[in-house]
Amino acid sequence: MNWKKTLGYAAITFVMVFGAVVLALQYDRRRTNDSLTRILNSPEVPSMTVQNAPGAQSLADFRVAARKVLPSVVSIETAARGRSMFDREVSLFPAGSGSGVVISADGYIVTNNHVVTVETRTGRIPADAVRVELSDGKSFNARVVGLDPRADLALLKIEATGLTPIEFAPRNSVEVGQWVMALGNPMGYENTLSVGVVSSLGRSLPTDEGAGVLIDSIQTDAAINPGNSGGALCDANGRLIGINTAIISQTGGSIGIGFAIPINRVERTVRDIRELGYVPYAGLGVTLLSRPISLEIAINRQRIQQETGMRTPLPDHGLLIPQVDPQGPAGRAGMRDLSVLFRVGDREINELADYHQALLNHSAGDRVEIEFWVNGETKTAEVVLADVGRG
């Protein structure tokens, strides 16, 4: 009988242990679920769904956003008049292509300056003809309303109504690491969408042919290729956060380093063009080199001194100013040709980007202090900035 009692005790022990394990697992699972709930509801961790999108859409699923945005993205073709070998004007020929974004139901479209201009021996000029094709295949001739070469932006107008304007994202809503979509017409493939993240913010790089400097650009690894220029960079809710404009590449194709003009600058450019017909810029009344000479290099300073006959050695830092308008703010403050600019306001000036960034948020009529070198002397002066237009 002893073996029967032993077997009974063993059975009872097994049941008790098994029950305890089950209870422990359920308790642990409840604790895990409670922990996950607290984490997901924590303000430090973003929600796993796209807020304000139709339905609860996973961040990895862009179908709803794509359907929302694609009708607002257009393709752009330009044409220019050429000249024969006998310098006779010939008919229009294709000059370039790109993308654009519809921003109003009555036909206003924003794109890049370099998409709707062509390169000539004297600089970039507007193309002779611009053609816009909507996502539904309808095509229209477009009028160039205004250009902003510094920001590499252009505003177009087509005679159409009932278009689907894109929704703008709130200002300052972009963060590194968030999902983004790049939409456009790369390599002629219309209505193309690529996905990536915001890689960095606040990038500065020269615009085409040194016309200016893109300020506070959005860097993304979403694929941007030739033809994407002027297209939309959107957040996961299908709201515009920037206009695609440039890539860094050794091959001409995307290697995951692309840039977009932020929406705040797009809004400013569109507003100024529609209200004023141009984009006003505050300035000192000076002419800048598109490729500034580095004064840190001794041989550069020596060559300038020799070629100009300058008696006083140039400083080893600052931005060389080749020409100064005597009647402009800098000229009235005592700057002359071949002066060196050290500071505008609180910003030290050593390269072209520094100059543009120092003046970007100023308007004509603002007073700022400048520090500069001229004829062997360092001077400071308060100047009233002038409206220098696109210059």
Side-chain angles (χ1 to χ4, degrees), residues 106-347:
D106 60 348
Y108 281 97
I109 294 167
V110 67
T111 185
N112 286 142
N113 174 77
H114 76 260
V115 168
V116 295
T117 57
V118 293
E119 183 64 31
T120 69
R121 286 175 291 184
T122 57
R124 299 195 72 88
I125 61 173
D128 293 299
V130 179
R131 190 77 175 168
V132 168
E133 183 176 322
L134 305 181
S135 62
D136 61 6
K138 295 179 181 178
S139 186
F140 299 85
N141 290 323
R143 173 173 59 90
V144 177
V145 180
L147 302 171
D148 183 3
R150 280 197 188 184
D152 195 20
L153 289 170
L155 183 64
L156 310 180
K157 180 69 167 66
I158 61 174
E159 297 305 317
T161 58
L163 304 183
T164 304
I166 202 164
E167 179 186 356
F168 282 23
R171 289 191 177 192
N172 304 317
S173 63
V174 182
E175 297 182 21
V176 173
Q178 76 175 72
W179 286 104
V180 290
M181 306 183 300
L183 300 99
N185 307 285
M187 309 294 188
Y189 289 93
E190 299 176 354
N191 303 321
T192 295
L193 178 150
S194 61
V195 173
V197 298
V198 173
S199 304
S200 185
L201 296 171
R203 296 297 195 193
S204 297
L205 64 155
T207 57
D208 191 56
E209 296 301 316
V213 175
L214 297 179
I215 305 296
D216 294 333
S217 298
I218 302 168
Q219 182 183 332
T220 179
D221 66 349
I224 297 175
N225 288 288
N228 270 119
S229 291
L233 187 70
C234 296
D235 63 18
N237 292 322
R239 301 175 302 185
L240 186 70
I241 65 171
I243 296 296
N244 300 321
T245 187
I247 61 174
I248 299 296
S249 174
Q250 296 177 335
T251 64
S254 173
I255 60 171
I257 306 177
F259 301 92
I261 304 161
I263 191 62
N264 61 325
R265 194 159 191 197
V266 176
E267 289 182 305
R268 169 187 166 177
T269 292
V270 170
R271 181 193 68 238
D272 287 340
I273 289 176
R274 295 191 67 172
E275 293 179 358
L276 305 174
Y278 74 105
V279 180
Y281 280 91
L284 296 174
V286 299
T287 300
L288 303 171
L289 295 171
S290 60
R291 295 176 178 82
I293 298 171
S294 174
L295 295 177
E296 295 180 355
I297 301 175
I299 193 171
N300 288 344
R301 301 194 301 272
Q302 294 170 4
R303 286 176 177 172
I304 294 171
Q305 189 173 353
Q306 291 172 356
E307 292 180 9
T308 60
M310 189 181 298
R311 296 181 180 180
T312 308
L314 283 160
D316 60 1
H317 65 287
L319 182 65
L320 180 69
I321 308 297
Q323 287 184 297
V324 178
D325 179 2
Q327 303 305 315
R332 290 195 294 270
M335 287 184 68
R336 298 292 180 263
D337 293 355
L338 297 176
S339 294
V340 177
L341 184 62
F342 294 139
R343 178 174 56 84
V344 175
D346 295 330
R347 180 178 287 273

